[in-house]
Structure formats: structure tokens, C-alpha cells
Amino acid sequence: MKEIYFNADAGYLEGVVRGYRDGLITAPQYMNLTQCETMDDLKLQLATTDYAPFLQNEPSPISTSTLSARCTDALVAEFQYLQQNSAEPVSRFLEYITFGYMIDNVILLITGTLHERDTHDLLEKCHPLGFFDTMPALCVATNVQDLYNTVMVDSPLAGYFRECLSAEDLNELNIEIIRNTLYKAYLEDFYSYCQSCGEPTSSIMAELLKFESDRRTVNITINSFGTELSKDDRTKLYPRLGNMYPEAQIRLARADDMDQVKSILEQYGDYKRMILSANMNASSDSAGGSDMSLEDIFFANEVQLNKDAFEQQFHFGVFYSWLRLKEQEIRNIVWIAECISQQQKDKVNKYTPIY
């Protein structure tokens, strides 16, 4: 009976998003992309993909930034189609997905306000999925106090700000601390909402959000080395969920270097395999083979988790997983485009394959 009710609410959209998934670039298509010599060749190859309508009117030679923007436009158009044709509870789930983009957009506007930049110009740099109806009103604010008051009243993120931050915090705290504080509250709230959705959505989304929480925990730890962030403050930024919560988080909060982080992660089966295949000192720009950075290993594992989500039916997780896979595909395309434009063809194959 549950499946019947699911199809009444979300059956059509699940079929649509599985069609989107089938439109992701395949291994043979990636091979063709990596063999391109110029950006025009790359654009021609992409004409056989779902990005074709968004690239066909772009003049040649197309730049990497323009290519990235048009690919993002394709993602946004597909996601907005899902939103426009959804009703509760699917519409609420899709709204939760956009909150992460809203946080990034608000942080961008806060940064611009702190540095006295014209926030109207920054609106163009905001991610389209993170727009909300009252967002232009944030540009009217001339100081952080006004901005905070506007966000508190007119933003879907008002609850997270009210729970975690004060106007004084926006002036005094590092912007990345503010971002991670908001994202912690968002992840915990999203996790709680997914648990209320029932099976199989709750278990599938729990695995995906726990992985995201663990990744953020590791990144916060590593990025805090050599900064003024105290170990107590570091702990406050960790999301209170994930496979590392609470034991590994307590230990990571006391870590002082990469070797200690590695020794902690090695005690967890899945993360031990990641550590063994990662170069802890590599950057994401040197991904591939034994030079894969920890960030690239996280991306590869995220891809597999999101692919696995499509193995079950009658759950909302496919919407989240498709979006994450699409974002990874765009990162892959931009990586290949950068290698071609900078004539670094020896690195062109160092992307994260999907299918």
C-alpha cells in the first residue's frame, strides 16, 4: 500500500529523475571528450549530450567559465522542472536540498557587506538553486546588523541563524566558521526531516547525510591546522551525526597534524580503505592513481553511494543523488575543459568517472 501512495505523490517525478540519470555522460562519451584537442571539439562532442540545447547558441571559441555556466544552467533547468511539478511531501524534500545553496549565497552576501562591496553585483555570482523570493532584499542592507535582521525575518534560513548566530557573530567570526555553523544546523535538520519520511527514504538518506557529515568533519579538522581556531571551537563545528559521531569526532578535535587524522580514520573500515588509496599531501588538482587526494577519494565514494541509491525504488533519495551525480559530472567536464584550454592533456584523464 505504501508504494501505491508513493506513486500517487512522487511516481511521475521519480520516473523523470531516473530518466535524467540515464542521460548522464557514459564512459565512451568521456573517452571522446578527453581526446578533444580544442574547446570547439569539446563543444561538438557535448552536442550529443543533454547539454546541447544550452551550448548551441554560444559563439566559438567557448571559454571554460562559460561552459561551466551553461552546464549549470542545464542542471538548474532540470531541477526546477522537478520543483514545479512537485507537491507535498516531495516539494518539501526538494526545498531542503536547496538550503545548502542558500547558505552559500547568504555567506557570499555577508562577505560582500563586510568588505563594503556592491551586493547587487554579487547577486549574479549566487547559485541559482540558492535563490529565494526575498533575496534581493538582502542587497538593501548597508551593514551587517541590517543584513542579519533581514535574514532573520525574510529568509528560509531564519531558523538556522536564530539557533546558531547573533549579529555580533557576523562581525567577529571568520566567514568560514559562520558557513560551517550554518551547515551543521542544516545537516542536522535535514537528517531529522528525512528520518520522519519513513522507509526506505530514511535509511538511504541517513547513509548519504552521514557520509556528508563525516566528510565535513574531516575537512574542518584538516583546514583548522595552523589557524587560530581552538580545539573546543573546532568541536562545535562538527555535525552531530555520522559514522564518526561521537567517538572519532572527539579524537579528531584533539588532532594536531595529518598523521593523527590518518591514524584515527584507519580505525574505520570504509575510511581505512580510502586512506590507503589516498595521498594525504596531494591537492585535488593532482588527482588520479596513487596521487589521488583525500578530497578526490571522498568524491569517488560519494559517487558510488549516490549510484547505489538508484538500486531501490519508492524513495526520495533519488532526487538528492541525481543532483550530486550531476554536479560531479559538471566538475568532470570543467576539469577536462581546463586541461584542454591549458594544454595539460597529460592530466585530462584524472576526473571522477560515474558510469
Side-chain angles (χ1 to χ4, degrees), residues 9-60:
D9 294 329
Y12 168 69
L13 292 181
E14 184 188 11
V16 170
V17 84
R18 288 181 182 274
Y20 287 167
R21 188 274 309 265
D22 291 342
L24 293 174
I25 295 176
T26 60
Q29 290 174 309
Y30 274 121
M31 186 177 298
N32 291 337
L33 295 180
T34 58
Q35 292 175 351
C36 294
E37 296 294 333
T38 66
M39 292 296 290
D40 285 343
D41 293 341
L42 184 67
K43 180 183 174 183
L44 185 62
Q45 289 295 331
L46 289 173
T48 63
T49 70
D50 291 347
Y51 299 106
F54 298 87
L55 295 172
Q56 60 186 6
N57 294 324
E58 291 296 329
S60 297

Side-chain angles (χ1 to χ4, degrees), residues 11 20 60 134 136 151 190 196 261 301 305 308 319 342 349 354:
Y20 287 167
S60 297
T134 56
V151 170
F190 193 12
S196 70
V261 172
N301 277 264
L305 287 175
D308 291 345
F319 302 113
Q342 297 179 22
N349 289 306
I354 301 176

Side-chain angles (χ1 to χ4, degrees), residues 119-136:
T119 49
H120 290 86
D121 294 337
L122 294 178
L123 274 180
E124 298 179 3
K125 299 181 180 180
C126 290
H127 197 289
L129 291 184
F131 269 88
F132 46 91
D133 292 340
T134 56
M135 193 168 165

Side-chain angles (χ1 to χ4, degrees), residues 157-306:
L157 305 177
Y160 303 145
F161 273 86
R162 190 181 305 112
E163 176 185 343
C164 305
L165 298 166
S166 66
E168 290 73 23
D169 290 334
L170 301 191
N171 264 319
E172 298 173 1
L173 293 178
N174 179 284
I175 199 68
E176 287 304 315
I177 294 178
I178 298 173
R179 186 197 307 273
N180 284 308
T181 300
L182 291 171
Y183 216 96
K184 170 190 174 181
Y186 159 61
L187 271 181
E188 293 171 358
D189 186 31
F190 193 12
Y191 180 85
S192 176
Y193 172 77
C194 291
Q195 293 310 294
S196 70
C197 292
E199 293 290 347
T201 297
S202 57
S203 58
I204 291 172
M205 285 304 300
E207 185 175 12
L208 294 170
L209 293 179
K210 284 180 178 179
F211 177 82
E212 178 63 22
S213 173
D214 290 344
R215 172 164 59 183
R216 297 190 73 85
T217 296
V218 173
N219 287 338
I220 288 169
T221 303
I222 294 174
N223 293 335
S224 66
F225 294 154
T227 69
E228 297 179 355
L229 186 69
S230 69
K231 293 180 179 179
D232 288 340
D233 289 337
R234 185 195 300 176
T235 305
K236 296 176 182 177
L237 298 178
Y238 294 157
R240 289 171 294 185
L241 60 107
N243 299 314
M244 296 184 184
Y245 175 77
E247 296 177 6
Q249 288 188 358
I250 294 173
R251 299 179 61 196
L252 285 170
R254 298 196 295 264
D256 295 311
D257 54 46
M258 289 295 295
D259 289 336
Q260 293 181 18
V261 172
K262 183 177 180 180
S263 66
I264 294 170
L265 295 182
E266 284 178 343
Q267 298 181 27
Y268 295 82
D270 291 339
Y271 296 113
K272 181 178 181 179
R273 288 190 290 273
M274 291 172 56
I275 291 297
L276 291 176
S277 58
N279 180 351
M280 299 292 283
N281 296 316
S283 67
S284 60
D285 290 343
S286 59
S290 60
D291 291 330
M292 290 185 74
S293 68
L294 185 60
E295 181 184 15
D296 295 308
I297 297 293
F298 272 122
F299 278 140
N301 277 264
E302 182 185 35
V303 164
Q304 188 57 52
L305 287 175
N306 286 314

